[in-house]
Amino acid sequence: MRIPAHSVCTAIREDIVSGLFERGSRLTEEHLARRYGVSRVPVREALRTLESEGFVTTRRHVGACVAEPTEQDAADLLEVRLLLEPLGAARAAQRRTEAHLKVLRGLVRLGQERARRGQGEDLRALGSWFHETLAQASGSPGLTALLTQLRHKIAWMYAVEQPAHPVETWAEHGAIVDAVARGDSERARALTTLHAERTATAHRLRRTVGSREKVRASQRAVNIASART
């Protein structure tokens, strides 16, 4: 079975975001194909996609390498997030479905419960799921794709501190969902803006390690389940 390029792209992107492939390091088709257990064709396609997203750059006489964003590039991401997330919430207030609301309310309930118990790692995953669902509720595939790419890049460039008051964070999430449920786009936009501004202070730039970190040579099979979707 041929593994689609989007599955290979997801695998490479995850390894870049996690820091396995260090910034500036070379990405050869042969090595990547061997690592993910695929042919070079989907790897080549995946690298083109990742270059368009800004994770990979092509250097003359070298080939594909992990991009090396500047501090200004990183700062721009948070500014763009501050513009796009409120827009997504405002659109969600007009376009959300009952299915979206059900998932969002369920996530808020879980988040509030985990926050009271102090289960930080669960909260990080639930928060990502919440914002992804809110973006999908906007009913705009283009905006959803931009927000998804933005979250990947922010995770790559920043370490995010756990909120000092997670209960308050999830109360903010709940208020956003209430506004979306009522169809109040202006309140959804305003609440999401305040939430994005407050959480931006928890982001700390990741520093590039001076020495190149060697990439593990072990093969990593691409998730076949995602390849079938």
Side-chain angles (χ1 to χ4, degrees), residues 8-28 32 35-36 43 46-57 64-69 152-158 206 208 213 215-216 220:
V8 180
C9 183
T10 297
I12 298 173
R13 186 192 298 111
E14 287 177 352
D15 282 343
I16 291 175
V17 171
S18 71
L20 181 62
F21 294 138
E22 193 173 307
R23 299 177 195 186
S25 61
R26 191 179 176 199
L27 299 170
T28 66
L32 295 174
R35 172 172 171 76
Y36 302 110
V43 168
L47 289 175
R48 282 198 292 265
T49 298
L50 291 169
E51 184 170 15
S52 70
E53 294 178 356
F55 289 98
V56 171
T57 186
C65 300
V66 178
E68 299 181 86
H152 287 316
K153 284 190 174 181
I154 289 174
W156 177 35
M157 297 186 198
Y158 288 95
R206 297 184 189 276
T208 304
E213 181 180 339
V215 177
R216 293 193 301 269
R220 174 190 172 190

Side-chain angles (χ1 to χ4, degrees), residues 107-127 130-131 160-175 195 198-199 202:
L107 289 169
V108 168
R109 283 196 298 271
L110 281 174
Q112 290 173 338
E113 177 185 327
R114 300 292 194 276
R116 287 192 294 270
R117 294 181 180 178
Q119 295 173 306
E121 288 307 311
D122 286 350
L123 289 177
R124 191 183 299 276
L126 287 171
F130 173 86
H131 286 288
V160 183
E161 299 174 353
Q162 292 284 14
H165 305 288
V167 173
E168 294 179 7
T169 297
W170 281 92
E172 292 175 4
H173 286 162
H195 178 70
R198 191 180 64 77
T199 56

Side-chain angles (χ1 to χ4, degrees), residues 18 29 31 64 76 80 109 111 134 143 168 181 200 229:
S18 71
E29 292 178 11
H31 171 79
D76 288 346
V80 172
R109 283 196 298 271
L134 185 62
L143 179 57
E168 294 179 7
T229 59

Side-chain angles (χ1 to χ4, degrees), residues 71-210:
E71 290 190 9
Q72 185 60 59
D73 293 332
D76 288 346
L77 289 178
L78 294 183
E79 187 173 350
V80 172
R81 173 181 173 237
L82 189 57
L83 295 173
L84 293 186
E85 281 195 346
L87 173 61
R91 288 191 175 181
Q94 300 300 322
R95 303 178 182 179
R96 88 294 184 279
T97 65
E98 287 304 314
H100 288 132
L101 286 178
K102 182 177 180 180
V103 174
L104 288 168
R105 284 169 170 156
L107 289 169
V108 168
R109 283 196 298 271
L110 281 174
Q112 290 173 338
E113 177 185 327
R114 300 292 194 276
R116 287 192 294 270
R117 294 181 180 178
Q119 295 173 306
E121 288 307 311
D122 286 350
L123 289 177
R124 191 183 299 276
L126 287 171
S128 295
W129 193 0
F130 173 86
H131 286 288
E132 181 178 345
T133 304
L134 185 62
Q136 291 171 352
S138 71
S140 173
L143 179 57
T144 301
L146 284 173
L147 285 168
T148 298
Q149 185 182 136
L150 193 60
R151 281 193 296 276
H152 287 316
K153 284 190 174 181
I154 289 174
W156 177 35
M157 297 186 198
Y158 288 95
V160 183
E161 299 174 353
Q162 292 284 14
H165 305 288
V167 173
E168 294 179 7
T169 297
W170 281 92
E172 292 175 4
H173 286 162
I176 292 169
V177 174
D178 288 342
V180 168
R182 291 196 305 270
D184 190 340
S185 58
E186 288 309 309
R187 181 162 176 76
R189 184 194 297 269
L191 289 172
T192 304
T193 298
L194 290 173
H195 178 70
E197 288 175 342
R198 191 180 64 77
T199 56
T201 61
H203 291 69
R204 298 289 179 266
L205 270 177
R206 297 184 189 276
R207 297 297 177 182
T208 304
V209 180

